[in-house]
Amino acid sequence: MLDFLQAVSDGVLFGTTYALIGIGFTLVFGVMHKLNLAYAATSIGGAYAGLLIFQVWAGAPAWAVFFCAFLGGGVLGWVVYVTCFHFIPLSNPLAPLMATVGMLLLIDEVIVHATAGMPQNYPAMFDDVMLRAGEFTLRGDLLLVGGVSVLCMIVLLALLYRTRLGLATRAVSQQPVAAQLCGIRVGQVNAMTFVITGLLGGIAGALIGASVGALSPLLTAPLTVKGLIVTVIGGLGSIPGAILAGLLVGGFENLFQLYRGVTERDLYVMLLLFAFLVFRPGGLLGPKGGHD
Amino acid sequence: MDFYYGLAQTVGVHTLLGLSAYIVLLTGQVTLAQAGFFAIGAYTAGMLTVLAGWHLVPAIGAGALTGAATACAVGFPALRVKGLMLVVATLAFGEGVRLFFFNFDYQVAKGEIKVGPVGGEGFRQIRFFQENGWTTGEVMLFIWAFVILVMAALWWFDRSRYGAVLRAVGEDEVAAQSVGVNLTAVKVSAMTVGGAVAGIGGALYAHYTTHIEHANFNVLLATFAIAYPIVGGLSNVFGTLAAVIFVQAFLIEGLRDLGDWRNLLFGALIVLAMNLRPQGLFGGRRA
Amino acid sequence: MLELRGVSRHFGGVKAVERLDLNVAEGEIFGLIGPNGSGKSTTVNVIAGLFEASGGQILFKGGNLDGLPTHRRLQLGIARTFQNIRLFGQLTVWQNLWVAQNAPEDRARRGFLSRWLGGRGGARAEMAGLLEFSGLAHKRDELAANLAFGEQRRLELARALAAKPKLLLLDEPAAGMNSEEIGQLRDRILKLRAQGMTVLLIEHVMELVMGVTDRIAVLNFGQKIAEGTPREIQNDPGVRKAYLGGA
């Protein structure tokens, strides 16, 4: 029982990072009705960018690295927007998708080249802090991960629902042509969506690096798959759905690992996705029948 | 010369992979599952020649059959999932297949040693060509015989009513239904044919590389599969072939001059291609 | 031939079509008119099977259509055109017709392999007559997306005819046409009727409706408010009120 609770709590806390990745995918889908397959790569890329701060400030504290990752993610998000969505006519369904695949590969390879393929250590905060209740522990660094993630979600929701930019974004997602006719600069809104999700992604990447202790380009593919799974389970286009699904997947993933081991764990996560696709294609909080 | 034969073998097998995605893409279903069917064909054929002593040709046939059967089974639930969700679902399926083989052990004693797939280590010693004295050149021709066969078949489909119906479904499902097209039959059949072609490709792949493991059939391969027809354009099968040659020759050339920057080039190449020519190299006669 | 008994279609709280009774006799040209939003297109979509009826029954040649998917209804003999043309733009004119050759007599005549994988030779000959009728013979190999608007409308109709239907549902076929084109459309519809076709015509363009239909039903807010001959409908005060709003 204790193991169960421990696995769930650790999983759910880590799952908040999946939620952030899921939000990134779902937000771009919601606004532009397109999938940005490069998103997880920009997230990890942002995390690596965070490490660049050590070039200028040798003894930088962890929070400085996280902040740098935050900014790096935003920059990468904008780059993906320009290379994949700005010039290609959006009426062509396959080309932007394929371009994001190209960016995914490109970002991955740049990382491999810059680091000679060696995993990089990542600073953590509060990793020596442990809250205990008998045998049940809550890792301090995971709590931080959870806390920062929740903070990001709150800020994002505030941005979407309390600011003019957020209003414009929601307008564009519902009726791009009408929004344009109202004077909203759709191109700018789209670019901003990518920057914002990029910022979010950078933080998520940094948090993942912090809780795992190291970064490696090998993280990109599984994170992409997991992020997409979270997005679909939560319901394409639904931010609260992505949050819920992220926690769900994080928790279940750890449970699967506890009971069936690491090698079979991901297989069960796939089965979880398929169960949703069969019984509830719209996801947790999406429309019943699913999106087009 | 062996180097060029090897390159031709790779181009041939990748063309089959690309063609398996081509036919499914015509119906408007974006599939990242082709690497999964490819893997199934590879393991099936490998196990039949190595563990059961089959001749290669029937083993390839069996690979095509298992690929087709799995694709057919995937095709039905795929109908319920629309648009971009299908991308995710097929990606997850492909990953599921890979993870399955990651955990798959089936060994048989052959004389003193054990042969067969072993989970993470993979499946070694698929030595049909070596044990039967094939030269690299002969292997290449064998592979290309299948490539030409498949290309001819798909070219024929394209010119037949089936091809027109596939494209009609890909363009407008509602209009297609309204003129009497059975969407389920068309979409599942395309998926099945794609699975068969991928199975053939996988079977050939297993035998010319002699060693396969789960990591060969990853997300990267799945994206290669759709990249070829998208970059090559969906007008005809030659687009896919051109894209494979373009990518593989470019990469290999890139490999020679720039060390191992090839994957970086591949990514940049795709981004550039999509921006400059979104309809693909041989892409449609546009309005 | 076509009978709607109390057919309704609701979208959440919106009653797009409410307890509609219609009876279209064989060989008749029946008009369905009404102001915008009165439920005409929804009715066509329900008959064609793209939407399920929320209530009521649809009978075609005596048989209930309930639960039959759209492509099966086509095979029974119901074809439709779309208000906003939905051609297969990347296919040629004759390919658009080819895809639509799904009538039972065509399916029975040629074997499975021949029908699907056979070349275009035999099919082309059959289509020649249809292309002539629609005035598209000279554009046979042109991509549908490259056709002029009037030609696209003619192809939309030709494609529906390629399926050899018994009942033709025309959804605002005259929209955007000039007088000459409307006249040609009128002639074509009358020729079809002479060949035994039954037609349900949804239309706004009164020039066409009044000139070609045998009987008309008028919808407003999803309900039938009048039915009769063109002359009767023109003189009906309720109809005038629905269109012009108030006396």
Side-chain angles (χ1 to χ4, degrees), chain B residues 156-157 159-162 164-165 167-169 171-172 174-183 186 285-287, chain C residues 50 70-71 74-75 82 86 88-92 98-102 115-118 120 143 145-146 159:
Chain B
W156 182 254
F157 282 2
R159 293 174 58 84
S160 73
R161 187 165 172 274
Y162 184 53
V165 170
R167 287 168 192 277
V169 168
E171 199 167 337
D172 191 335
V174 169
Q177 288 182 305
S178 300
V179 294
V181 173
N182 182 337
L183 293 180
V186 170
R285 304 179 280 169
R286 292 276 132 170
Chain C
L50 286 175
T70 304
H71 71 272
L74 184 290
Q75 285 157 19
F82 288 93
R86 294 182 82 143
F88 304 122
Q90 298 308 309
L91 296 182
T92 63
W98 206 19
V99 170
Q101 286 190 322
N102 289 304
R115 220 168 72 82
W116 283 101
L117 297 179
R120 23 197 188 153
L143 278 189
N146 289 341
R159 189 179 62 176

Side-chain angles (χ1 to χ4, degrees), chain A residues 29 33-35 37 82-84 87-89 92 94-106 109-110 113 221-222 224-225 228-229 232 236 263-264 266-267 270 273-274 277-279 281-282 289-292, chain B residues 25 30 32 77 80-85 87-89 91-100 102-103 219-220 223-224 226-228 230-231 234 258 260-268 270-271 274-275 278-279 286:
Chain A
F29 180 81
H33 300 284
K34 292 269 183 307
L35 215 47
L37 287 179
V82 169
T83 55
C84 303
F87 297 108
I88 301 178
N92 188 323
L94 294 174
L97 184 73
M98 212 54 232
T100 60
V101 171
M103 282 307 289
L104 166 66
L105 297 173
L106 187 64
E109 280 304 306
V110 168
H113 277 274
T224 306
V225 175
L228 288 172
I229 290 177
V232 169
L236 268 177
T263 52
E264 289 184 23
D266 288 339
L267 200 53
M270 289 311 156
L273 173 69
F274 291 140
L277 286 175
V278 169
F279 295 113
H291 263 291
D292 208 321
Chain B
L25 284 172
V30 183
L32 286 177
R80 307 185 45 172
V81 178
K82 299 249 179 274
L84 293 171
M85 296 246 291
V87 178
V88 179
L91 174 65
F93 171 77
E95 277 290 281
V97 169
R98 181 184 69 76
L99 290 167
F100 170 77
F102 183 42
N103 288 290
V219 175
L220 186 66
T223 60
F224 268 45
I226 56 166
Y228 295 133
I230 293 177
V231 170
L234 290 176
L258 295 160
D260 58 349
W261 284 70
R262 56 184 170 149
N263 283 334
L264 197 145
L265 278 180
F266 183 48
I270 293 180
V271 175
M274 288 298 99
N275 273 282
Q279 71 272 35
R286 292 276 132 170

Side-chain angles (χ1 to χ4, degrees), chain B residues 200-218:
Chain B
I200 295 174
L204 291 167
Y205 175 73
H207 288 85
Y208 91 79
T209 57
T210 74
H211 167 206
I212 56 174
E213 57 183 26
H214 74 102
N216 297 130
F217 309 106
N218 58 8

Side-chain angles (χ1 to χ4, degrees), chain C residues 93-128:
Chain C
V93 167
W94 73 267
Q95 281 176 326
N96 268 269
L97 301 185
W98 206 19
V99 170
Q101 286 190 322
N102 289 304
E105 45 264 47
D106 285 324
R107 292 158 65 88
R109 199 155 33 93
R110 306 170 79 186
F112 178 78
L113 280 183
S114 159
R115 220 168 72 82
W116 283 101
L117 297 179
R120 23 197 188 153
R124 293 254 220 165
E126 293 157 9
M127 279 177 233

Side-chain angles (χ1 to χ4, degrees), chain C residues 45 50 55 65 70 73 102 108 141 181 184 223 236 238 241 247:
Chain C
N45 284 324
L50 286 175
L65 289 182
T70 304
R73 298 186 191 204
N102 289 304
D141 294 311
E181 289 166 331
Q184 289 167 354
Q223 294 181 303
D236 186 313
K241 185 166 175 216

